[in-house]
Amino acid sequence: MSTELGCVEHDTLSLSPEEQAMLAGEEGPGVRKAIEIIVALGRIYGARRLVPVGSVQVAGVSYRNLGEAGLRFLREWADRGARARVPALLNPAGVDLEAWRALGFSEEFAARQAAVIEAYARLGVDATCTCTPYLVGNRPRLGEHIAWAESSAVSYANSVLGARTNREGGPSALAAAITGRTAAYGLHLAENRRATLRVEVRCALRSVADFGALGHLVGKAAGNRVPYFVGIEDAPSEIELKALGAAMASSGAVALYHVAGVTPEARAGQVLAPTHERLVVDDLRPAYAALDTGSQPVDLVWFGCPHAGLEEIAEVVQRLRGRRAKAALWVTTARRVRDQAASAGLVAALEAAGGRVLTDMCVVVAPMQELGFRCVATPSAKGATYLPSHAGLQVRFGSVEECVEAAVRGAWDES
């Protein structure tokens, strides 16, 4: 056992006196359970130390995924006195917590979902149910250690903001919130953030859907490697980078990527590892063919996967140009962003067109079988990847413009 620098060594993992006290149960059984999870993961992955985290994003929120066993787990942890000590936010739930009845979701599901939110509240986790915490004030600094769980949020934090996080599981993220620590392995370490796949883009990227299609192809090829993109001609917007990262995280397991001259670590220095593979993407049509598979008439058009920002809501309203939608039209977003959109008149404009701006929820984890929809049109490659298997829905995948037109016509343009 080493006592160098005031740390106690457990195998290769050194704990500070404060962390050792947590493990000894001096801060109560709830904290002890949390630090045990963090330490176990650290040992499994060969971490040498724990690092403080600035914030946490917790997944495992929809009752559809958690069920009674998950709800009981949260309540038992809260009963042990555990409470978040750093800012912690929730991933989307299964329903809009206020508008569920108007949407047609069952009272039984809504009640169980409310019980999940209440359990998290007892644990000190903010019920800002969103997969885009960086749009509601939680925007980590370059190099800051965090513990986030949702795949697209992890990708955005690592890549676009340059923060450092692995893709946490629900229990490990909650444990990080309770202890304020995570184990320093994986993408917390500089040597693991170098790119091992050089992606040469040789096709035009004209829409958010194109960035999603590119991400779909690269994610499948990359697996969990770190890609480095070259050849993207115009500097992509944060909306396009969000779509790119979300797609790679859903078709593969990419948690960090770099874009030459654009993302912060790529701007700061050499991020391509000396030994790397090369991938050329010169055609997006295979991705569109894989993602656009629906054959039923479109009865729901969905924007906001990941959750939409104010600019994205404004684009949908602008493209509607005062026309009314024949198909159901949903935009999912964080409640704080919806409030901003309401102040800007965007919610009223969308509702006048027959649409809805929904909060708290994601269609992928909602009990969509209760509503009877069959085919969803979306510009989200992430949504198009998950909807068939997670929600039992067919998908038409295309640009924002194509999806708006499908909402207005109630049909997908096959030309």
Side-chain angles (χ1 to χ4, degrees), residues 155-241:
S155 173
Y156 193 96
N158 275 320
S159 311
V160 182
L161 303 180
R164 297 189 174 192
T165 181
N166 294 315
R167 182 175 175 180
E168 300 285 351
S172 67
L174 191 52
I178 293 165
T179 62
R181 307 288 199 282
T182 194
Y185 68 92
L187 294 177
H188 289 283
L189 306 178
E191 59 265 30
N192 296 327
R193 297 179 67 84
R194 301 193 73 179
T196 54
L197 180 66
R198 175 186 167 96
V199 181
E200 299 177 11
V201 180
R202 298 182 181 175
C203 53
L205 302 173
R206 299 186 177 91
S207 67
V208 169
D210 281 353
F211 276 87
L214 173 63
H216 181 80
L217 295 175
V218 175
K220 280 187 168 296
N224 63 357
R225 289 181 290 176
V226 178
Y228 174 72
F229 289 87
V230 297
I232 297 178
E233 293 184 355
D234 298 320
S237 67
E238 290 196 357
I239 294 169
E240 291 165 336
L241 293 173

Side-chain angles (χ1 to χ4, degrees), residues 55-402:
S55 68
V56 171
Q57 191 233 9
V58 181
V61 180
S62 173
Y63 179 74
R64 183 169 172 263
N65 294 341
L66 278 176
E68 282 301 306
L71 177 56
R72 185 167 56 252
F73 172 82
L74 295 174
R75 286 171 166 170
E76 289 173 355
W77 211 345
D79 288 343
R80 294 185 180 188
R83 189 169 180 83
R85 67 180 68 199
V86 297
L89 293 84
L90 289 181
N91 209 37
V95 292
D96 184 310
L97 299 176
E98 295 182 0
W100 59 267
R101 192 186 303 274
L103 295 171
F105 290 111
S106 69
E107 185 170 356
E108 178 184 5
F109 184 90
R112 302 319 289 160
Q113 183 64 79
V116 170
I117 302 300
E118 180 184 8
Y120 274 119
R122 288 181 58 205
L123 288 161
V125 183
D126 190 345
T128 304
C129 299
T130 182
C131 52
T132 56
Y134 45 87
L135 295 181
V136 294
N138 190 347
R139 197 172 173 93
R141 303 181 309 276
L142 178 66
E144 180 180 357
H145 294 283
I146 58 176
W148 287 14
E150 197 275 332
S151 62
S152 73
V154 166
S155 173
Y156 193 96
N158 275 320
S159 311
V160 182
L161 303 180
R164 297 189 174 192
T165 181
N166 294 315
R167 182 175 175 180
E168 300 285 351
S172 67
L174 191 52
I178 293 165
T179 62
R181 307 288 199 282
T182 194
Y185 68 92
L187 294 177
H188 289 283
L189 306 178
E191 59 265 30
N192 296 327
R193 297 179 67 84
R194 301 193 73 179
T196 54
L197 180 66
R198 175 186 167 96
V199 181
E200 299 177 11
V201 180
R202 298 182 181 175
C203 53
L205 302 173
R206 299 186 177 91
S207 67
V208 169
D210 281 353
F211 276 87
L214 173 63
H216 181 80
L217 295 175
V218 175
K220 280 187 168 296
N224 63 357
R225 289 181 290 176
V226 178
Y228 174 72
F229 289 87
V230 297
I232 297 178
E233 293 184 355
D234 298 320
S237 67
E238 290 196 357
I239 294 169
E240 291 165 336
L241 293 173
K242 178 175 72 167
L244 176 66
M248 286 190 287
S250 58
S251 69
V254 175
L256 165 65
Y257 66 91
H258 305 287
V259 179
V262 174
T263 52
E265 288 168 274
R267 292 196 310 268
Q270 174 60 255
V271 293
L272 187 62
T275 302
H276 59 269
E277 294 185 21
R278 176 172 165 266
L279 174 67
V280 175
V281 180
D282 56 10
D283 188 357
L284 299 179
R285 285 176 294 181
Y288 275 89
L291 296 168
D292 180 31
T293 58
S295 59
Q296 298 279 352
V298 171
D299 47 16
L300 172 63
V301 178
W302 176 38
F303 304 93
C305 180
H307 273 175
L310 197 62
E311 291 180 28
E312 294 167 273
I313 300 172
E315 182 182 1
V316 174
V317 171
Q318 186 273 327
R319 290 190 180 278
L320 280 165
R321 298 190 300 276
R323 298 173 294 170
R324 284 194 62 83
K326 292 182 180 178
L329 171 58
W330 291 2
V331 180
T332 48
T333 190
R335 189 167 294 278
R336 194 176 305 174
V337 174
R338 188 190 192 279
D339 290 344
Q340 294 169 353
S343 297
L346 297 173
V347 172
L350 197 64
E351 290 177 346
R356 295 178 180 270
V357 180
L358 305 176
T359 62
D360 313 318
M361 65 173 284
C362 172
V363 172
V364 169
V365 297
M368 295 300 290
Q369 71 279 1
E370 295 184 352
L371 306 188
F373 292 119
R374 295 174 300 171
C375 185
V376 179
T378 183
S380 167
K382 176 189 173 182
T385 297
Y386 286 144
L387 284 172
S389 58
H390 285 60
L393 294 165
Q394 294 188 10
V395 179
R396 303 312 305 261
F397 172 72
S399 67
V400 172
E401 181 179 9
E402 290 173 307

Side-chain angles (χ1 to χ4, degrees), residues 33-66:
K33 177 184 178 71
I35 197 72
E36 285 174 346
I37 292 172
I38 300 297
V39 167
L41 286 171
R43 286 174 173 165
I44 289 169
Y45 290 103
R48 295 186 175 274
R49 63 191 176 98
L50 307 185
V51 290
V53 294
S55 68
V56 171
Q57 191 233 9
V58 181
V61 180
S62 173
Y63 179 74
R64 183 169 172 263
N65 294 341
L66 278 176

